């Protein structure tokens, strides 16, 4: 926590997901499901398909378009109501890119170089060949959030460091320009599945970019595929223990328990207590049944929505109009604070 008076800012949630592939169970439990909960708590919520982040690594244009629509369909199918939440794709609101440029001039090279995501993505490869956008990625992310004066950002565990950088950028901007303009945003990392792990390796995050499709459950997988992937998930030969303590050095087992907990709304401790002594031969089919029951209706609704891409585009366009109406006045004020002449008036 900080001393900066965030009380001056009204509670507003922003979060984003990259349309760089199909969404996974990790995205659903770590992000989407919680985006819906926040919306249903009645807080103002703004959700974004961050297509400009996606192109920091190569994206085939047709696939990017398809994945952006798929992402939007997943949000709506999971329970995001475009009348209550603002839902749009990032590139339609140019204020993000404009503020990102200013933040490129606030953030320091050293800060960016310390980002573990940057280090992971360039590890063992030629960092010289990575795009400049990949390096600057966290400044665009800070702009996504701060261009709305968002106070809270629900994300999975892997985004914690990027959110700390967002806070550093807000604080440095406020200090450099001697203003109290940007809020110091709070990460909201909560629930039983803030870090869903690969089904093949309990030490690796479940990711849409993992080369092995067996490592993840995709929101587009059908019931048989989900059941087969869970059946084949890596585990150990021990039965489930009596308490969570017994899962300490069993990352694969712990992961399946966490997934069960997050899908059922139980705590991991309750799941273990209820299944103490069970073999994975019994627990896995139970988990598969639960996963199919929860994800099946979402997949079906996504497929229905994707029949009408024009309607999805219309929803994204309307969301972008509403987002722009919030972002533009904030950005105009930033230009003024920084000392840019704006003699053409505000152009929305
Ligand atoms: P990305 O797919 O990297 O754009 O991530 C979008 C959101 O999903 C972010 O809030 C991530 O933290 C979250 N997320 C991605 N993968 C996982 C995972 N394996 N477990 C939990 N949350 C995740
Ligand atoms: N970097 C995030 C991810 O890969 C996506 C993202 C971009 C984001 N801008 C954001 C998340 C703003 C939260 C808020 O998961």
């Amino acid at each position: 926590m900080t001393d900066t008076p965030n009380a001056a800012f009204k509670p507003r949630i922003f979060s984003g997901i990259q349309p760089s592939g199909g969404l996974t169970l990790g995205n659903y439990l770590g992000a989407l499901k919680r985006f819906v909960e926040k919306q249903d708590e009645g807080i103002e919520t703004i959700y974004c398909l961050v297509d400009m982040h996606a192109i920091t690594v190569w994206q085939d244009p047709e696939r990017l378009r398809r994945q952006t629509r798929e992402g939007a369909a997943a949000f709506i199918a999971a329970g995001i109501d475009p009348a209550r939440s603002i839902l749009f794709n990032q590139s339609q609101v140019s204020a993000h890119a404009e503020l990102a440029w200013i933040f490129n001039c606030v953030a320091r090279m050293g800060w960016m170089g310390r980002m573990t995501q940057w280090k992971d993505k360039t590890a063992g490869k030629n960092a010289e060949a990575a795009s400049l956008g990949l390096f600057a990625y966290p400044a665009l992310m800070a702009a996504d959030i701060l261009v709305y004066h968002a106070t809270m950002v629900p994300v999975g565990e892997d985004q914690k460091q990027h959110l700390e950088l967002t806070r550093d950028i807000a604080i440095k901007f406020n200090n450099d320009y001697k203003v109290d303009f940007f809020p110091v945003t709070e990460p909201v990392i909560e629930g039983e599945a803030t870090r869903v792990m690969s089904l093949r390796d309990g030490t690796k995050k479940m990711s849409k970019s993992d080369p092995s499709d067996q490592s993840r459950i995709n929101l587009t997988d059908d019931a048989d595929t989900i059941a087969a992937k869970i059946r084949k998930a890596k585990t150990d030969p021990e039965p489930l223990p009596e308490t969570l303590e017994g899962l300490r050095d069993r990352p694969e087992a712990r992961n399946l328990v966490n997934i069960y907990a997050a899908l059922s709304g139980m705590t991991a401790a309750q799941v273990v207590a209820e299944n103490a002594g069970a073999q994975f031969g019994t627990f896995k089919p139970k988990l598969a049944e639960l996963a199919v029951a929860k994800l099946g209706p979402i997949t079906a609704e996504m497929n229905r929505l994707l029949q009408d891409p024009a309607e999805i585009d219309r929803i994204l366009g309307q969301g972008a109009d509403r987002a722009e109406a919030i972002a533009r006045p904030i950005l105009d004020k930033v230009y003024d604070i920084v000392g840019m002449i704006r003699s053409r008036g505000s152009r929305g």
Side-chain angles (χ1 to χ4, degrees), residues 14-16 18 50 53 137 141 144-145 153 155 159:
F14 181 93
S15 198
Q18 299 189 63
V50 289
H53 277 105
Y137 177 116
M141 178 161 165
D144 295 339
I145 296 165
V153 181
V155 281
Q159 295 303 310

